[in-house]
Amino acid sequence: MTKTVALAATVGLASFAGTAAFAEYPEQPIEMIVAYSAGGGTDTAARTLAPFIEKYLGDGASISVINRPGAGGEIGFTELSQAEPDGYTIGFINTPNILTIPISRDTRYTMEDIQAVANVVYDPGAFNVLPDADFTTLEALVAHAKENPGEVTYGTSGVGGDDHLAALQFSRAAGIEMRHVPFSGAADVRAAALGGHIDMAVLNISEAIELVEQGELVSLGQMGEERWDGAPDVPTFKEQGFDVVMGSDRGFGAPAGIPQEALDALQQAIAQTVEDPEFLDAAAKQMLPLNYRDSAEFQAYLEHLGANLQEIWNETPWVE
């Protein structure tokens, strides 16, 4: 577990210690909305977390996972935003989707409708190429792309996703132009890269690290603030001189106006979960890069990231 997780969880627990109100919440079952289909990575992570959060909420706590897939997450995020803000409807939310959807199209929700509860996962983006590619470092990629503008092809799991936005942000920072090839999912991106059909696979680091460890791909860098423990040999983009931080967060949100008592209890339960050895073992098996943020940290982070994504949209709209 990273120092960030341990420190944040410790601080979170200290701030909540001795609050008698926990005994009063929850008094009825809690529904957790997942804006994606059952069986996917987001759903699996949510269902792994739920029993641990129940455990730390106390005797009788019950959390039901409700899948509301569709429109890239918009259906589930909208339902979350419009639910009664009583603490009994929460959502497992993803970035950048929850932020980019209102930026790129008219929606029935805005981020003002959603209260950040806590973040659990941050899965940094990563650039990955074959070992015999024309470039195997970010510096060499930039040089090659400048010599061959628009010829470097990169695959992602779709327009407007974190992988696509990561490539746009890097291209802007490096002053290069590359050609986007969208696919329907990470598995297709990996297959295209391994088959030599694209020059580079832009994936979350957890989606690529097994192939990197097997020597089938080379990862040029990961886009976290610091290296993920699961990929300690892959340098960050920042280490290589490119101030690019992009990835996918998975955390919890609630309708704006959730009672403080419920917000505090949920934060404490999530903080305890990310310290639980049994959960840590399950997270490691699922290749989940943990990064706990409490409500205030997560809220500030979402606001900062949203402003950054709006700037990217203003300069390079990602509709293709």
Side-chain angles (χ1 to χ4, degrees), residues 76-114:
F77 300 147
T78 299
E79 183 169 331
L80 173 64
S81 73
Q82 296 178 351
E84 186 71 25
D86 56 8
Y88 294 101
T89 300
I90 60 176
F92 200 46
I93 62 178
N94 307 57
T95 69
N97 305 58
I98 197 168
L99 300 168
T100 56
I101 290 171
I103 290 173
S104 60
R105 59 181 185 252
D106 291 333
T107 59
R108 291 183 292 129
Y109 80 91
T110 71
M111 289 308 295
E112 293 181 356
D113 302 321
I114 295 173

Side-chain angles (χ1 to χ4, degrees), residues 29-104:
I30 299 169
E31 290 190 347
M32 183 199 304
I33 296 172
V34 173
Y36 300 94
S37 299
T42 298
D43 177 73
T44 300
R47 293 177 187 275
T48 300
L49 282 156
F52 291 95
I53 298 172
E54 289 177 340
K55 170 183 173 181
Y56 291 112
L57 281 175
D59 293 341
S62 172
I63 298 176
S64 299
V65 175
I66 309 297
N67 297 94
R68 293 288 188 266
E74 182 179 355
I75 290 175
F77 300 147
T78 299
E79 183 169 331
L80 173 64
S81 73
Q82 296 178 351
E84 186 71 25
D86 56 8
Y88 294 101
T89 300
I90 60 176
F92 200 46
I93 62 178
N94 307 57
T95 69
N97 305 58
I98 197 168
L99 300 168
T100 56
I101 290 171
I103 290 173
S104 60

Side-chain angles (χ1 to χ4, degrees), residues 91-202:
F92 200 46
I93 62 178
N94 307 57
T95 69
N97 305 58
I98 197 168
L99 300 168
T100 56
I101 290 171
I103 290 173
S104 60
R105 59 181 185 252
D106 291 333
T107 59
R108 291 183 292 129
Y109 80 91
T110 71
M111 289 308 295
E112 293 181 356
D113 302 321
I114 295 173
Q115 166 68 52
V117 174
N119 192 55
V120 176
V121 171
Y122 176 72
D123 199 353
F127 286 179
N128 309 276
V129 299
L130 291 172
D132 61 354
D134 292 328
F135 46 86
T136 53
T137 66
L138 290 181
E139 185 178 3
L141 164 61
V142 172
H144 183 81
K146 287 185 175 179
E147 291 176 4
N148 304 276
E151 292 187 14
V152 174
T153 56
Y154 67 91
T156 78
S157 55
V159 174
D162 60 297
D163 305 325
H164 184 208
L165 298 180
L168 291 178
Q169 189 175 29
F170 177 78
S171 297
R172 184 178 62 172
I176 60 174
E177 180 184 352
M178 301 187 291
R179 183 155 55 91
H180 183 213
V181 183
F183 293 86
S184 60
D188 295 328
V189 177
R190 286 193 295 265
L194 292 171
H197 305 299
I198 53 175
D199 296 316
M200 186 167 68
V202 185

